[in-house]
């Protein structure tokens, strides 16, 4: 396996090892800098090449939307989210989950 000095790739390599994956492809979003980055790691050279192609295709697709992703905090005391809007739940125990409202029920 080739050594890659980029910390992002090292993190993907560690993830692959931890979960016994042969390949990991990730899209990273930095909203404050309005940047999107595609990263990939593969256990073999062939998987590295395939992962790079998949990451490139994902980036082209995301860039094709011409929409800047936004994150907005709205306290539920002010307004409840619309149905099917994905939200973060921060529970008292410290866990964080995603969910959405569906016909008056949280899912």
């Amino acid at each position: 396996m080739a050594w890659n000095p980029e910390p992002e790739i090292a993190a993907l390599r560690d993830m692959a090892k931890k979960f016994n994956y042969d390949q990991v492809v990730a899209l990273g979003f930095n909203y404050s800098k309005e940047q999107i980055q595609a990263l990939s790691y593969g256990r073999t050279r062939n998987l590295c090449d395939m992962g790079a192609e998949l990451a490139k295709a994902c980036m082209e697709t995301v860039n094709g939307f011409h929409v800047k992703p936004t994150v907005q905090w709205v306290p539920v005391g002010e307004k409840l989210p619309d149905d099917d809007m994905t939200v973060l739940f921060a529970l008292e125990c410290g866990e964080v989950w995603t969910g959405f409202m569906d016909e008056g029920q949280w899912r």
Side-chain angles (χ1 to χ4, degrees):
M1 171 177 16
W3 177 75
N4 191 319
E6 295 182 45
E8 296 90 350
I9 302 301
L12 293 181
R13 183 180 60 231
D14 292 345
M15 177 188 259
K17 184 177 180 181
K18 179 178 181 179
F19 295 105
N20 198 28
Y21 293 153
D22 294 320
Q23 185 177 37
V24 177
V25 177
L27 289 180
F29 297 88
N30 186 327
Y31 296 111
S32 64
K33 294 181 180 179
E34 296 182 1
Q35 293 177 337
I36 303 171
Q37 183 180 15
L39 304 164
S40 66
Y41 163 79
R43 189 175 295 178
T44 66
R45 176 62 188 214
N46 189 41
L47 289 174
C48 284
D49 293 342
M50 288 176 18
E53 288 299 314
L54 179 57
K56 181 181 174 184
C58 290
M59 283 290 295
E60 289 172 357
T61 300
V62 169
N63 286 330
F65 289 128
H66 302 289
V67 175
K68 294 178 183 175
T70 59
V71 176
Q72 181 181 10
W73 177 261
V74 179
V76 294
E78 292 179 15
K79 179 182 183 284
L80 289 174
D82 298 328
D83 279 4
D84 298 324
M85 175 184 270
T86 303
V87 298
L88 288 176
F89 292 98
L91 305 179
E92 290 179 7
C93 65
E95 292 182 8
V96 178
W97 293 82
T98 59
F100 60 94
M101 181 71 77
D102 181 30
E103 297 180 5
Q105 297 289 319
W106 287 108
R107 309 261 188 230

